[in-house]
Amino acid sequence: MLRPMIVAVLMLGGPAWAEAEVPTSRAQIQMGFVPVVKTVTPAVVNIYARRVIEGRASPFADDPFFGQLFQNFGSQPPRVENSLGSGVILAPDGIVVSNYHVVGQATDIRVVLNDRREYEATVLLADQESDLAILQLTGAKDLPSLPLRDSENVEVGELALAVGNPFGVGQTVSSGIVSGLARSGSVTGSTRGYFIQTDAPINPGNSGGALVDTEGRLIGINTSILSRSGGSNGIGFAIPATLVGQFMQQARAGATTFQRPWAGITGQPVTYDMVEGLGLARSGGIILSDLHPASPFRASGLKAGDVIIAVAGQEVNTPAEMIYRMSVAGIGTDLTITAVQGGVERDIAVPMEAAPETPPRDTQVTGGGAAVPGVTLSTINPAVIAEYDLPLTSEPGVLVVDPGETGGRAGLRAGDVLLGIDGRAVSTSAGANTALQRARGRLALDVQRGERRLTMRFRL
């Protein structure tokens, strides 16, 4: 399912690489891509997803007087939202990959194969940031599947085929070339990633479909297009198959959420005007500005001011590229980071680790006797920082995971960080919970909200 965004991105729904040969006969020219299409299309599926959007209750629902007068005022009934997209079978036992924006939060998923067989599907693993989801088809066996190609071997100019179900018209194949590599940044709404660019026409409904090479190997999963009109303008993006492989591996291991190695660093791309001051030969790379005390990069000897120029032998120029390289490597490996320190280039081995749960997040919900009941609080640690995308430089505090009904009416928001309660600093969920239980008469909350710091005062 594609949603057009003006001058922006639209959400869309093997053996060694052989040198391409020019057709030498009339028969070869007439055949075109027929052999590869016959091999690929049985493994590309149509996906129909359905989810129920909860309705909104009347704001007077809990009021004993006005609730009788305005029973349905401002209320909205539940509604059903349907999405249409594509997917790719990765294994004969019914493992399928698609986009998160096609199947994420779906309550009912139906998958239709090219030969019209239908299966119910469940989501094994989903990740909104990467816009990928791994599905399991119920009762499936001996299905056709596509092999994954190492994305590092893909080159600009290669022929590519896009297979999917654009606009719901039925399975369609379009051809083009690989137009670019290492396209990174926020390409699909909240999605941050690293993409392969193609000019093979893809449109709404192609979400989750296959981008394959001329040998029928999966290069990537089509996920978005850049368009003014809602149709294809020849600028499409696909998630590399190498990352898809890591998703499938984690799903096979029983993970329900994608586990990324944690860097615990912040940085920015090195621009041309920064080169001389950093003692570099040319622009490129990422200069580190801050490292968390628990960062594995810091433990390996990196520090603020160092410039990372390559990861696993591949040049990196943006944080999104580095996150991609780390995600592909996976937790439990050692990754070679090439960095410039004091003008000297060095290779440094950095262990890929999950963000630590130290100190424990100790999630608690304030009780009915608290000044603000029903607030879900967590102690901030590296895992919480990574999960909720908090700044590394944020002061020690307690995260408001859910403000609850009372907290929401009082002005608290999910993502707020409580720094102090009634003038006393708080750094654990237990301490914040106790302070809210003890508050009487008046209450003052020191809150960090994004880049703003504010004090909220209440009379109890």
Side-chain angles (χ1 to χ4, degrees):
M1 176 183 66
L2 273 159
R3 294 188 296 273
M5 299 172 64
I6 302 300
V7 198
V9 175
L10 298 171
M11 301 295 291
L12 293 173
W17 171 247
E19 184 176 350
E21 296 182 1
V22 177
T24 57
S25 68
R26 181 180 179 85
Q28 287 180 330
I29 294 173
Q30 289 177 332
M31 285 295 289
F33 295 115
V34 172
V36 67
V37 169
K38 286 184 176 180
T39 301
V40 168
T41 51
V44 180
V45 300
N46 298 334
I47 295 179
Y48 303 88
R50 175 179 177 272
R51 66 171 178 162
V52 178
I53 308 298
E54 294 297 329
R56 184 177 63 188
S58 168
F60 300 103
D62 297 327
D63 190 285
F65 177 72
F66 289 102
Q68 296 294 324
L69 296 176
F70 303 101
Q71 292 185 15
N72 298 315
F73 179 82
S75 63
Q76 292 181 349
R79 69 182 191 278
V80 175
E81 185 177 272
N82 296 295
S83 63
L84 170 69
S86 306
V88 180
I89 303 174
L90 301 178
D93 60 349
I95 295 293
V96 172
V97 62
S98 185
N99 285 140
Y100 178 92
H101 74 263
V102 173
V103 299
Q105 302 177 341
T107 55
D108 180 35
I109 303 172
R110 184 165 56 94
V111 175
V112 182
L113 274 61
N114 182 250
D115 60 10
R116 299 186 181 179
R117 283 183 289 173
E118 294 189 15
Y119 292 91
E120 298 297 322
T122 57
V123 177
L124 297 181
L125 185 155
D127 183 72
Q128 186 173 13
E129 184 172 324
S130 296
D131 197 23
L132 283 177
I134 301 296
L135 311 176
Q136 174 67 65
L137 305 189
T138 304
K141 61 180 181 179
D142 301 326
L143 298 183
S145 59
L146 294 186
L148 303 179
R149 180 175 168 191
D150 185 353
S151 303
E152 302 303 330
N153 297 327
V154 177
E155 297 185 77
V156 175
E158 286 189 29
L159 292 173
L161 302 179
V163 187
N165 183 17
F167 298 108
V169 300
Q171 192 173 84
T172 303
V173 180
S174 55
S175 67
I177 63 170
V178 174
S179 306
L181 303 171
R183 301 303 193 223
S184 60
S186 181
V187 176
T188 56
S190 62
T191 302
R192 295 177 298 175
Y194 174 95
F195 302 92
I196 296 170
Q197 183 182 333
T198 179
D199 71 346
I202 52 180
N203 290 286
N206 274 105
S207 302
L211 185 70
V212 301
D213 62 17
T214 53
E215 293 185 16
R217 297 170 298 179
L218 187 68
I219 296 175
I221 297 299
N222 297 319
T223 189
S224 59
I225 60 175
L226 199 64
S227 175
R228 293 176 181 269
S229 62
S232 175
N233 283 343
I235 304 177
F237 300 97
I239 301 167
T242 304
L243 183 60
V244 173
Q246 183 63 227
F247 267 74
M248 183 169 67
Q249 180 179 328
Q250 291 194 21
R252 290 282 198 194
T256 57
T257 57
F258 186 63
Q259 302 297 313
R260 291 178 181 80
W262 181 64
I265 61 176
T266 57
Q268 67 180 79
V270 174
T271 57
Y272 178 78
D273 56 357
M274 300 166 64
V275 170
E276 184 176 351
L278 295 172
L280 300 176
R282 59 182 180 83
S283 59
I286 304 165
I287 182 170
L288 302 182
S289 56
D290 191 26
L291 295 88
H292 190 277
S295 167
F297 282 71
R298 180 171 181 169
S300 299
L302 288 160
K303 59 184 184 300
D306 292 345
V307 178
I308 295 176
I309 58 175
V311 175
Q314 301 289 332
E315 291 186 0
V316 293
N317 295 302
T318 66
E321 286 185 61
M322 192 176 75
I323 292 171
Y324 167 78
R325 300 290 175 198
M326 293 172 62
S327 298
V328 167
I331 294 172
T333 61
D334 285 341
L335 208 54
T336 300
I337 304 296
T338 304
V340 177
Q341 295 182 306
V344 179
E345 185 176 310
R346 293 187 175 91
D347 286 339
I348 302 171
V350 178
M352 296 293 98
E353 304 170 349
E357 288 276 7
T358 306
R361 67 176 67 193
D362 187 24
T363 301
Q364 299 191 10
V365 180
T366 58
V372 188
V375 181
T376 305
L377 304 170
S378 287
T379 301
I380 294 177
N381 61 27
V384 172
I385 289 173
E387 183 176 341
Y388 293 94
D389 197 24
L390 301 177
L392 295 179
T393 54
S394 60
E395 300 179 53
V398 177
L399 178 69
V400 177
V401 178
D402 184 348
E405 183 178 352
T406 302
R409 289 203 303 263
L412 284 175
R413 301 179 187 174
D416 284 349
V417 175
L418 295 181
L419 304 176
I421 298 175
D422 288 334
R424 295 184 179 181
V426 292
S427 58
T428 66
S429 55
N433 195 356
T434 300
L436 289 172
Q437 292 284 351
R438 292 176 176 173
R440 296 290 184 274
R442 297 177 183 273
L443 175 68
L445 302 179
D446 296 322
V447 175
Q448 186 75 37
R449 179 174 294 167
E451 297 181 355
R452 292 193 303 149
R453 182 166 179 169
L454 52 103
T455 298
M456 305 173 69
R457 301 184 184 276
F458 308 94
R459 179 175 295 176
L460 305 179

